[in-house]
Amino acid sequence: MLKKIIIPVVIVAIALGAYRMMNAPKENSYGGRPATPVSAPSPESSEPKAKPGADARKTDAAQAAPSEAKAKAPASSRGRGFRGAGQLGKQGATSVEIVPALADKTLAQLDLFGVIQAQHHTRLSATSNARVLALDVSEGQTVELGQGLLSLSADSAQEALTQRRSAQQELAARIRNETLKHDNDQASLAIDRELLRIAKNSVDRFTSLNSQQLTSGSDYEAALRAYQTQLMSVQNRQLTLAQYTDQMAQMLAQRDALASQIRLAKQAVADLQVMAPFAGLVAKVSVTQGQELRSGDVLVELYDPTSLALFVRVPLRYRLDQLDATQISAVDSQGYAWQVEALRPINESGAQRLTLVPSGVNPVAFLPGSHVALTISYPIAEPAVEVPVTAVYDQQRVYLFADGVINAADIEILGRTQRGYLVRSPDFNDSASVVTTRLKTPVSGMAVAIVTPKDGARP
Protein backbone atom coordinates (compact mmCIF):
# COMPACT_ATOMS: atom_id res chain seq x y z
CA MET A 1 0.00 0.00 0.00
CA LEU A 2 2.91 2.31 0.86
CA LYS A 3 4.53 1.73 -2.52
CA LYS A 4 1.35 2.75 -4.32
CA ILE A 5 1.49 6.15 -2.55
CA ILE A 6 5.28 6.88 -2.78
CA ILE A 7 5.76 6.14 -6.48
CA PRO A 8 3.17 8.65 -7.78
CA VAL A 9 4.55 11.31 -5.42
CA VAL A 10 8.08 10.86 -6.74
CA ILE A 11 6.88 11.09 -10.36
CA VAL A 12 5.00 14.30 -9.65
CA ALA A 13 8.06 15.82 -7.93
CA ILE A 14 10.34 15.03 -10.86
CA ALA A 15 7.87 16.49 -13.35
CA LEU A 16 7.53 19.67 -11.26
CA GLY A 17 11.31 20.07 -11.07
CA ALA A 18 11.71 19.65 -14.80
CA TYR A 19 8.98 22.21 -15.47
CA ARG A 20 10.72 24.81 -13.28
CA MET A 21 14.08 24.24 -15.00
CA MET A 22 12.57 24.71 -18.43
CA ASN A 23 10.89 27.95 -17.46
CA ALA A 24 13.80 29.40 -15.49
CA PRO A 25 15.42 32.66 -16.92
CA LYS A 26 18.37 31.97 -19.26
CA GLU A 27 21.85 33.50 -19.03
CA ASN A 28 22.97 35.87 -21.75
CA SER A 29 25.37 34.84 -24.49
CA TYR A 30 28.37 36.01 -22.49
CA GLY A 31 27.65 33.84 -19.52
CA GLY A 32 26.35 36.62 -17.21
CA ARG A 33 23.41 36.54 -14.88
CA PRO A 34 19.90 37.11 -16.20
CA ALA A 35 19.08 40.77 -16.69
CA THR A 36 17.06 42.26 -13.88
CA PRO A 37 13.72 43.60 -15.05
CA VAL A 38 13.56 47.37 -14.98
CA SER A 39 10.62 48.58 -12.93
CA ALA A 40 8.61 51.58 -13.88
CA PRO A 41 9.73 54.83 -12.30
CA SER A 42 7.96 55.63 -9.05
CA PRO A 43 5.88 58.70 -8.64
CA GLU A 44 8.45 59.93 -6.17
CA SER A 45 11.09 60.27 -8.93
CA SER A 46 13.11 63.49 -8.94
CA GLU A 47 12.59 63.94 -12.68
CA PRO A 48 9.84 66.31 -13.73
CA LYS A 49 6.72 64.84 -15.19
CA ALA A 50 6.12 65.37 -18.86
CA LYS A 51 2.96 66.45 -20.44
CA PRO A 52 0.63 63.77 -21.67
CA GLY A 53 1.14 64.64 -25.36
CA ALA A 54 4.87 64.81 -25.03
CA ASP A 55 4.92 61.55 -23.15
CA ALA A 56 3.11 59.85 -26.00
CA ARG A 57 5.52 61.18 -28.60
CA LYS A 58 8.55 60.18 -26.50
CA THR A 59 7.13 56.73 -26.01
CA ASP A 60 6.65 56.26 -29.76
CA ALA A 61 10.18 57.52 -30.46
CA ALA A 62 11.59 55.23 -27.84
CA GLN A 63 9.82 52.27 -29.39
CA ALA A 64 10.99 53.20 -32.90
CA ALA A 65 14.62 53.77 -31.92
CA PRO A 66 15.50 50.12 -31.37
CA SER A 67 14.09 49.21 -34.80
CA GLU A 68 16.09 51.95 -36.58
CA ALA A 69 19.23 51.01 -34.68
CA LYS A 70 18.77 47.41 -35.71
CA ALA A 71 18.33 48.40 -39.34
CA LYS A 72 21.51 50.53 -39.31
CA ALA A 73 23.60 47.96 -37.47
CA PRO A 74 26.48 46.29 -39.39
CA ALA A 75 26.02 42.96 -41.06
CA SER A 76 27.94 41.26 -38.25
CA SER A 77 25.11 42.17 -35.86
CA ARG A 78 22.56 40.61 -38.27
CA GLY A 79 24.25 37.23 -38.80
CA ARG A 80 26.82 35.77 -41.24
CA GLY A 81 25.55 36.41 -44.79
CA PHE A 82 27.64 35.72 -48.04
CA ARG A 83 29.01 39.25 -47.99
CA GLY A 84 28.80 39.72 -44.24
CA ALA A 85 31.42 39.21 -41.59
CA GLY A 86 32.95 35.77 -41.11
CA GLN A 87 35.37 33.64 -43.19
CA LEU A 88 33.58 34.09 -46.54
CA GLY A 89 32.99 37.74 -45.97
CA LYS A 90 36.64 38.34 -45.20
CA GLN A 91 37.84 36.78 -48.50
CA GLY A 92 38.52 39.23 -51.36
CA ALA A 93 38.61 38.71 -55.15
CA THR A 94 41.08 36.15 -56.59
CA SER A 95 44.50 37.68 -57.19
CA VAL A 96 46.01 37.09 -60.61
CA GLU A 97 48.92 38.28 -62.72
CA ILE A 98 48.55 39.47 -66.31
CA VAL A 99 50.70 40.31 -69.31
CA PRO A 100 49.82 42.56 -72.24
CA ALA A 101 48.80 40.67 -75.41
CA LEU A 102 51.58 42.14 -77.55
CA ALA A 103 52.21 40.26 -80.82
CA ASP A 104 55.98 40.70 -81.04
CA LYS A 105 57.42 37.17 -81.39
CA THR A 106 58.34 35.71 -84.81
CA LEU A 107 60.59 32.75 -83.90
CA ALA A 108 59.11 29.59 -82.37
CA GLN A 109 60.73 26.60 -80.70
CA LEU A 110 59.67 23.01 -80.13
CA ASP A 111 61.14 20.52 -77.67
CA LEU A 112 60.83 17.05 -79.21
CA PHE A 113 62.35 13.58 -79.10
CA GLY A 114 63.78 11.79 -82.14
CA VAL A 115 65.17 8.35 -82.93
CA ILE A 116 68.62 7.74 -84.41
CA GLN A 117 68.55 5.40 -87.42
CA ALA A 118 71.17 4.40 -89.98
CA GLN A 119 70.08 4.99 -93.57
CA HIS A 120 72.75 2.52 -94.79
CA HIS A 121 72.63 -0.67 -92.77
CA THR A 122 72.41 -4.44 -93.32
CA ARG A 123 71.54 -7.60 -91.45
CA LEU A 124 73.53 -10.70 -92.45
CA SER A 125 71.77 -14.06 -92.06
CA ALA A 126 72.72 -17.73 -92.44
CA THR A 127 71.86 -19.10 -95.89
CA SER A 128 71.76 -22.74 -94.75
CA ASN A 129 71.93 -24.87 -91.65
CA ALA A 130 75.41 -24.46 -90.22
CA ARG A 131 77.52 -24.20 -87.10
CA VAL A 132 79.51 -21.17 -85.97
CA LEU A 133 83.14 -22.13 -86.38
CA ALA A 134 84.81 -18.87 -85.34
CA LEU A 135 83.92 -15.27 -84.43
CA ASP A 136 86.33 -12.68 -85.77
CA VAL A 137 84.65 -9.41 -84.63
CA SER A 138 82.83 -7.97 -81.64
CA GLU A 139 80.08 -5.38 -81.21
CA GLY A 140 81.19 -1.79 -81.73
CA GLN A 141 84.20 -2.82 -83.84
CA THR A 142 84.97 -0.91 -87.04
CA VAL A 143 85.42 -3.12 -90.13
CA GLU A 144 86.54 -2.57 -93.71
CA LEU A 145 84.93 -3.68 -96.95
CA GLY A 146 85.48 -7.45 -97.45
CA GLN A 147 86.81 -8.03 -93.94
CA GLY A 148 85.93 -11.43 -92.43
CA LEU A 149 83.34 -11.28 -89.67
CA LEU A 150 82.85 -14.96 -88.77
CA SER A 151 83.31 -18.47 -90.17
CA LEU A 152 80.67 -21.18 -90.46
CA SER A 153 80.89 -24.90 -91.02
CA ALA A 154 78.26 -26.75 -93.07
CA ASP A 155 78.84 -30.18 -94.67
CA SER A 156 75.49 -30.01 -96.45
CA ALA A 157 76.53 -26.98 -98.50
CA GLN A 158 79.66 -28.71 -99.81
CA GLU A 159 77.74 -31.92 -100.50
CA ALA A 160 75.07 -30.03 -102.42
CA LEU A 161 77.78 -28.42 -104.55
CA THR A 162 79.40 -31.80 -105.25
CA GLN A 163 76.08 -33.38 -106.26
CA ARG A 164 75.24 -30.57 -108.64
CA ARG A 165 78.65 -30.72 -110.25
CA SER A 166 78.22 -34.48 -110.79
CA ALA A 167 74.82 -33.93 -112.36
CA GLN A 168 76.33 -31.28 -114.60
CA GLN A 169 79.03 -33.69 -115.80
CA GLU A 170 76.46 -36.42 -116.47
CA LEU A 171 74.31 -34.02 -118.48
CA ALA A 172 77.30 -32.87 -120.49
CA ALA A 173 78.03 -36.51 -121.42
CA ARG A 174 74.43 -37.02 -122.53
CA ILE A 175 74.62 -33.93 -124.70
CA ARG A 176 77.80 -35.18 -126.35
CA ASN A 177 76.25 -38.61 -126.98
CA GLU A 178 73.14 -37.06 -128.46
CA THR A 179 75.28 -34.91 -130.72
CA LEU A 180 77.27 -37.92 -131.96
CA LYS A 181 74.10 -39.93 -132.44
CA HIS A 182 72.58 -37.08 -134.42
CA ASP A 183 75.59 -36.87 -136.69
CA ASN A 184 75.43 -40.65 -137.19
CA ASP A 185 71.73 -40.53 -137.94
CA GLN A 186 72.27 -37.89 -140.57
CA ALA A 187 74.91 -40.08 -142.28
CA SER A 188 72.74 -43.19 -141.96
CA LEU A 189 69.77 -41.39 -143.44
CA ALA A 190 71.65 -40.92 -146.70
CA ILE A 191 72.48 -44.63 -146.83
CA ASP A 192 68.92 -45.61 -145.94
CA ARG A 193 67.59 -43.43 -148.71
CA GLU A 194 69.96 -45.07 -151.22
CA LEU A 195 68.90 -48.53 -150.07
CA LEU A 196 65.27 -47.43 -150.37
CA ARG A 197 65.94 -46.34 -153.95
CA ILE A 198 67.47 -49.74 -154.78
CA ALA A 199 64.57 -51.56 -153.16
CA LYS A 200 62.16 -49.45 -155.15
CA ASN A 201 63.94 -50.30 -158.43
CA SER A 202 63.83 -54.00 -157.54
CA VAL A 203 60.10 -53.85 -156.94
CA ASP A 204 59.58 -52.07 -160.23
CA ARG A 205 61.64 -54.64 -162.08
CA PHE A 206 59.81 -57.60 -160.54
CA THR A 207 56.50 -55.90 -161.26
CA SER A 208 57.40 -55.69 -164.96
CA LEU A 209 58.65 -59.29 -165.13
CA ASN A 210 55.63 -60.53 -163.25
CA SER A 211 53.31 -58.84 -165.74
CA GLN A 212 55.14 -60.70 -168.51
CA GLN A 213 55.00 -63.91 -166.46
CA LEU A 214 58.77 -64.14 -166.56
CA THR A 215 59.21 -64.57 -162.81
CA SER A 216 57.43 -66.18 -159.92
CA GLY A 217 55.09 -64.37 -157.60
CA SER A 218 57.22 -65.15 -154.55
CA ASP A 219 60.16 -63.17 -155.90
CA TYR A 220 57.90 -60.19 -156.43
CA GLU A 221 56.58 -60.41 -152.87
CA ALA A 222 60.10 -60.67 -151.42
CA ALA A 223 61.18 -57.57 -153.30
CA LEU A 224 58.09 -55.72 -152.11
CA ARG A 225 58.73 -56.65 -148.43
CA ALA A 226 62.35 -55.45 -148.70
CA TYR A 227 61.16 -52.13 -150.08
CA GLN A 228 58.62 -51.58 -147.31
CA THR A 229 61.15 -52.49 -144.64
CA GLN A 230 63.65 -50.00 -146.01
CA LEU A 231 60.96 -47.33 -146.27
CA MET A 232 60.15 -47.79 -142.58
CA SER A 233 63.82 -47.50 -141.69
CA VAL A 234 64.06 -44.18 -143.53
CA GLN A 235 60.98 -42.85 -141.79
CA ASN A 236 62.29 -43.84 -138.33
CA ARG A 237 65.62 -42.19 -139.11
CA GLN A 238 63.86 -38.97 -140.13
CA LEU A 239 61.79 -39.05 -136.90
CA THR A 240 64.89 -39.44 -134.80
CA LEU A 241 66.52 -36.50 -136.54
CA ALA A 242 63.39 -34.41 -136.05
CA GLN A 243 63.29 -35.19 -132.29
CA TYR A 244 66.90 -34.24 -131.83
CA THR A 245 66.14 -30.52 -131.76
CA ASP A 246 63.60 -30.83 -128.93
CA GLN A 247 65.74 -33.27 -126.94
CA MET A 248 68.73 -31.00 -127.25
CA ALA A 249 66.65 -27.97 -126.13
CA GLN A 250 65.53 -29.88 -123.02
CA MET A 251 69.07 -30.92 -122.15
CA LEU A 252 70.39 -27.40 -122.67
CA ALA A 253 67.68 -26.08 -120.32
CA GLN A 254 68.69 -28.68 -117.75
CA ARG A 255 72.30 -27.63 -118.18
CA ASP A 256 71.39 -23.98 -117.50
CA ALA A 257 69.36 -24.95 -114.43
CA LEU A 258 72.25 -26.99 -113.10
CA ALA A 259 74.62 -24.11 -113.74
CA SER A 260 72.37 -21.83 -111.70
CA GLN A 261 72.15 -24.38 -108.89
CA ILE A 262 75.92 -24.74 -108.91
CA ARG A 263 76.33 -20.97 -108.61
CA LEU A 264 73.96 -20.97 -105.64
CA ALA A 265 75.79 -23.88 -104.08
CA LYS A 266 79.10 -22.10 -104.57
CA GLN A 267 77.62 -18.99 -102.99
CA ALA A 268 76.38 -21.06 -100.06
CA VAL A 269 79.87 -22.44 -99.57
CA ALA A 270 81.34 -18.96 -99.93
CA ASP A 271 78.81 -17.66 -97.39
CA LEU A 272 80.37 -19.86 -94.80
CA GLN A 273 83.00 -17.12 -94.68
CA VAL A 274 80.91 -14.08 -93.71
CA MET A 275 82.47 -10.87 -95.09
CA ALA A 276 81.61 -7.21 -94.52
CA PRO A 277 79.65 -5.90 -97.55
CA PHE A 278 80.81 -2.33 -96.83
CA ALA A 279 83.01 -0.41 -94.43
CA GLY A 280 81.13 0.32 -91.23
CA LEU A 281 80.53 -0.49 -87.58
CA VAL A 282 79.36 -3.77 -86.07
CA ALA A 283 76.11 -2.90 -84.31
CA LYS A 284 75.22 -6.36 -83.02
CA VAL A 285 76.57 -9.93 -83.04
CA SER A 286 73.65 -12.33 -82.60
CA VAL A 287 75.53 -15.66 -82.40
CA THR A 288 78.17 -17.33 -80.28
CA GLN A 289 80.98 -19.66 -81.22
CA GLY A 290 79.85 -23.26 -81.61
CA GLN A 291 76.18 -22.32 -81.98
CA GLU A 292 74.06 -24.42 -84.33
CA LEU A 293 72.20 -22.28 -86.85
CA ARG A 294 69.23 -22.72 -89.12
CA SER A 295 68.77 -21.08 -92.49
CA GLY A 296 67.64 -17.48 -91.98
CA ASP A 297 69.08 -16.97 -88.50
CA VAL A 298 70.55 -13.47 -88.05
CA LEU A 299 74.32 -13.43 -87.64
CA VAL A 300 75.57 -9.82 -87.56
CA GLU A 301 74.09 -6.34 -87.96
CA LEU A 302 76.30 -3.74 -89.62
CA TYR A 303 75.76 -0.03 -90.35
CA ASP A 304 77.60 2.88 -91.85
CA PRO A 305 78.23 5.55 -89.15
CA THR A 306 78.31 8.28 -91.78
CA SER A 307 74.69 7.49 -92.73
CA LEU A 308 73.18 8.11 -89.30
CA ALA A 309 70.11 10.35 -89.32
CA LEU A 310 67.68 11.63 -86.72
CA PHE A 311 63.99 11.03 -87.41
CA VAL A 312 61.54 13.30 -85.57
CA ARG A 313 57.75 13.49 -85.64
CA VAL A 314 56.23 16.97 -85.30
CA PRO A 315 52.51 17.54 -84.59
CA LEU A 316 50.77 18.49 -87.80
CA ARG A 317 49.28 21.69 -86.34
CA TYR A 318 52.69 23.39 -86.47
CA ARG A 319 52.82 22.93 -90.28
CA LEU A 320 56.57 22.88 -90.71
CA ASP A 321 55.99 21.39 -94.17
CA GLN A 322 55.10 24.90 -95.36
CA LEU A 323 58.65 26.10 -94.60
CA ASP A 324 61.87 25.67 -96.49
CA ALA A 325 64.24 23.17 -94.90
CA THR A 326 66.92 25.86 -94.58
CA GLN A 327 64.63 27.89 -92.31
CA ILE A 328 64.58 25.16 -89.65
CA SER A 329 67.48 24.69 -87.23
CA ALA A 330 67.91 22.09 -84.50
CA VAL A 331 70.22 21.48 -81.55
CA ASP A 332 70.26 18.30 -79.47
CA SER A 333 70.69 17.95 -75.73
CA GLN A 334 74.48 17.65 -76.10
CA GLY A 335 74.72 20.90 -78.04
CA TYR A 336 75.31 19.34 -81.47
CA ALA A 337 73.64 21.03 -84.45
CA TRP A 338 71.50 19.17 -86.98
CA GLN A 339 70.12 20.22 -90.34
CA VAL A 340 66.90 19.15 -92.03
CA GLU A 341 67.49 16.82 -94.96
CA ALA A 342 63.85 15.95 -95.71
CA LEU A 343 60.39 16.86 -94.43
CA ARG A 344 57.44 14.66 -95.19
CA PRO A 345 53.84 15.02 -93.93
CA ILE A 346 52.37 11.86 -92.42
CA ASN A 347 48.67 12.62 -92.58
CA GLU A 348 47.47 9.19 -91.44
CA SER A 349 49.26 9.56 -88.09
CA GLY A 350 48.60 13.26 -87.66
CA ALA A 351 52.28 14.21 -87.65
CA GLN A 352 55.09 15.37 -89.91
CA ARG A 353 58.33 13.45 -90.21
CA LEU A 354 61.60 15.34 -90.17
CA THR A 355 64.83 13.70 -91.30
CA LEU A 356 67.86 15.47 -89.87
CA VAL A 357 71.56 14.83 -90.43
CA PRO A 358 74.54 16.15 -88.47
CA SER A 359 75.46 19.68 -89.44
CA GLY A 360 79.09 20.20 -90.53
CA VAL A 361 81.61 17.97 -88.77
CA ASN A 362 79.62 17.42 -85.59
CA PRO A 363 80.43 14.00 -84.10
CA VAL A 364 77.50 11.64 -83.66
CA ALA A 365 77.88 9.83 -80.35
CA PHE A 366 74.62 7.90 -80.63
CA LEU A 367 73.88 4.33 -81.65
CA PRO A 368 70.96 3.38 -83.90
CA GLY A 369 67.78 3.17 -81.86
CA SER A 370 68.86 5.88 -79.40
CA HIS A 371 66.33 8.55 -78.40
CA VAL A 372 67.59 12.13 -78.57
CA ALA A 373 66.09 15.28 -77.04
CA LEU A 374 66.00 18.04 -79.63
CA THR A 375 65.07 21.73 -79.74
CA ILE A 376 63.80 22.89 -83.14
CA SER A 377 63.67 26.59 -84.01
CA TYR A 378 61.68 27.96 -86.94
CA PRO A 379 60.04 31.23 -88.05
CA ILE A 380 56.29 31.70 -87.86
CA ALA A 381 54.23 33.37 -90.57
CA GLU A 382 52.96 36.27 -88.45
CA PRO A 383 53.87 37.86 -85.09
CA ALA A 384 52.40 36.06 -82.11
CA VAL A 385 51.89 36.64 -78.40
CA GLU A 386 54.15 34.77 -76.00
CA VAL A 387 52.31 33.48 -72.93
CA PRO A 388 53.47 31.09 -70.19
CA VAL A 389 52.22 27.52 -70.08
CA THR A 390 50.04 28.37 -67.06
CA ALA A 391 47.95 30.75 -69.18
CA VAL A 392 46.77 28.12 -71.69
CA TYR A 393 43.83 25.82 -70.96
CA ASP A 394 43.18 22.62 -72.92
CA GLN A 395 45.52 23.84 -75.68
CA GLN A 396 42.71 26.01 -77.04
CA ARG A 397 41.93 29.06 -74.89
CA VAL A 398 43.25 31.73 -72.52
CA TYR A 399 41.49 34.25 -70.27
CA LEU A 400 41.61 37.99 -70.89
CA PHE A 401 41.28 40.59 -68.12
CA ALA A 402 39.09 43.67 -68.51
CA ASP A 403 37.10 45.83 -66.06
CA GLY A 404 37.85 43.62 -63.06
CA VAL A 405 36.65 40.34 -64.61
CA ILE A 406 38.05 37.68 -66.92
CA ASN A 407 36.61 36.26 -70.14
CA ALA A 408 37.65 33.23 -72.22
CA ALA A 409 39.29 33.75 -75.64
CA ASP A 410 39.88 30.98 -78.22
CA ILE A 411 43.48 30.75 -79.46
CA GLU A 412 45.61 28.98 -82.04
CA ILE A 413 49.02 27.74 -80.92
CA LEU A 414 51.69 28.64 -83.47
CA GLY A 415 54.67 27.23 -81.59
CA ARG A 416 56.58 26.99 -78.35
CA THR A 417 59.37 28.96 -76.73
CA GLN A 418 61.58 28.31 -73.75
CA ARG A 419 59.09 30.26 -71.63
CA GLY A 420 55.74 29.08 -72.97
CA TYR A 421 53.51 29.17 -76.04
CA LEU A 422 53.23 31.45 -79.04
CA VAL A 423 49.54 32.04 -79.66
CA ARG A 424 47.21 34.22 -81.68
CA SER A 425 43.53 35.07 -81.29
CA PRO A 426 41.04 37.43 -82.95
CA ASP A 427 40.29 38.76 -79.45
CA PHE A 428 43.85 40.09 -78.98
CA ASN A 429 44.40 43.84 -79.34
CA ASP A 430 46.70 46.52 -78.01
CA SER A 431 44.65 46.93 -74.83
CA ALA A 432 44.09 43.21 -74.13
CA SER A 433 45.79 41.52 -71.17
CA VAL A 434 46.23 37.78 -70.72
CA VAL A 435 45.82 36.20 -67.27
CA THR A 436 48.97 34.20 -66.53
CA THR A 437 48.04 32.84 -63.10
CA ARG A 438 46.78 29.27 -63.27
CA LEU A 439 43.18 29.20 -62.03
CA LYS A 440 41.56 26.03 -60.80
CA THR A 441 38.06 26.60 -62.21
CA PRO A 442 38.04 29.80 -64.26
CA VAL A 443 34.77 31.00 -65.80
CA SER A 444 33.94 33.99 -67.93
CA GLY A 445 32.70 36.90 -65.80
CA MET A 446 34.73 35.85 -62.75
CA ALA A 447 35.89 38.84 -60.67
CA VAL A 448 39.66 39.05 -60.04
CA ALA A 449 42.21 41.44 -58.61
CA ILE A 450 45.47 42.28 -60.36
CA VAL A 451 48.81 41.89 -58.59
CA THR A 452 52.29 42.81 -59.79
CA PRO A 453 54.90 40.05 -60.16
CA LYS A 454 57.50 40.09 -57.41
CA ASP A 455 60.36 40.50 -59.84
CA GLY A 456 58.45 43.07 -61.86
CA ALA A 457 59.14 41.09 -65.02
CA ARG A 458 56.72 39.81 -67.56
CA PRO A 459 55.52 36.33 -66.52
Side-chain angles (χ1 to χ4, degrees), residues 362-378:
N362 289 341
V364 179
F366 304 103
L367 292 176
S370 302
H371 288 76
V372 179
L374 196 71
T375 299
I376 296 176
S377 301
Y378 61 95

Side-chain angles (χ1 to χ4, degrees), residues 12 288 301 393 449 455:
V12 171
T288 58
E301 295 182 26
Y393 295 83
D455 56 0

Side-chain angles (χ1 to χ4, degrees), residues 335-396:
Y336 296 140
W338 297 75
Q339 63 185 15
V340 177
E341 184 180 62
L343 197 158
R344 183 183 64 182
I346 308 178
N347 296 327
E348 62 273 11
S349 63
Q352 304 160 89
R353 181 176 180 179
L354 285 178
T355 302
L356 301 104
V357 295
S359 178
V361 293
N362 289 341
V364 179
F366 304 103
L367 292 176
S370 302
H371 288 76
V372 179
L374 196 71
T375 299
I376 296 176
S377 301
Y378 61 95
I380 54 180
E382 60 184 78
V385 177
E386 180 183 15
V387 297
V389 176
T390 55
V392 179
Y393 295 83
D394 299 330
Q395 302 286 309
Q396 60 184 4

Side-chain angles (χ1 to χ4, degrees), residues 130 145 276 309 354 383 448:
L145 172 63
L354 285 178
V448 297

Side-chain angles (χ1 to χ4, degrees), residues 175-194:
I175 290 175
R176 288 194 299 271
N177 289 336
E178 287 295 329
T179 302
L180 293 174
K181 184 175 178 297
H182 176 68
D183 294 341
N184 182 69
D185 287 338
Q186 285 181 329
S188 298
L189 179 60
I191 296 174
D192 288 339
R193 284 175 175 172
E194 181 62 24

Side-chain angles (χ1 to χ4, degrees), residues 20-38:
R20 289 180 177 179
M21 291 178 62
M22 293 176 61
N23 291 275
K26 297 183 180 180
E27 296 181 352
N28 59 32
S29 59
Y30 296 97
R33 302 288 300 174
T36 303
V38 179

